[in-house]
Amino acid sequence: RGIRDSVRPEWRGRGVTERLFACAVEWAWEVAQVERVRLFVHERNSRAEGFYRKFGFVPSGESAPVPGDPGARELEFVMKGA
């Protein structure tokens, strides 16, 4: 399940997902004060990959096996702080 699946259908397409995600990233920078934010995207989830790229995430070149499906990979994306 992705972040979009957490938004009720009647609220989809209204920018709710984008605002929720932006708040999470802002929290990481301002409250947690991390140097980079990272996430993993299933290699066949191009829609999620496009969503994360819109926010400035880029592939790190790293990947990990998908739990329960060792033939599939999750690609690491990162966003570095200013």
Side-chain angles (χ1 to χ4, degrees):
R1 291 179 52 107
I3 190 170
R4 182 166 169 75
D5 296 324
S6 301
V7 178
R8 295 179 59 107
E10 63 269 21
W11 286 97
R12 292 182 188 158
R14 297 184 182 194
V16 173
T17 301
E18 289 81 358
R19 289 193 297 270
L20 286 170
F21 194 74
C23 286
V25 171
E26 182 179 336
W27 176 89
W29 297 137
E30 295 181 10
V31 177
Q33 297 186 351
V34 297
E35 294 179 15
R36 70 181 181 137
V37 177
R38 73 180 189 150
L39 52 85
F40 288 87
V41 180
H42 192 285
E43 64 188 346
R44 292 187 304 265
N45 194 343
S46 59
R47 186 174 181 177
E49 184 177 325
F51 177 83
Y52 299 131
R53 284 179 183 271
K54 275 193 330 186
F55 278 89
F57 283 85
V58 296
S60 70
E62 300 294 324
S63 67
V66 174
D69 187 2
R73 306 292 294 172
E74 289 183 319
L75 310 176
E76 182 185 52
F77 278 69
V78 297
M79 178 192 287
K80 294 184 180 176

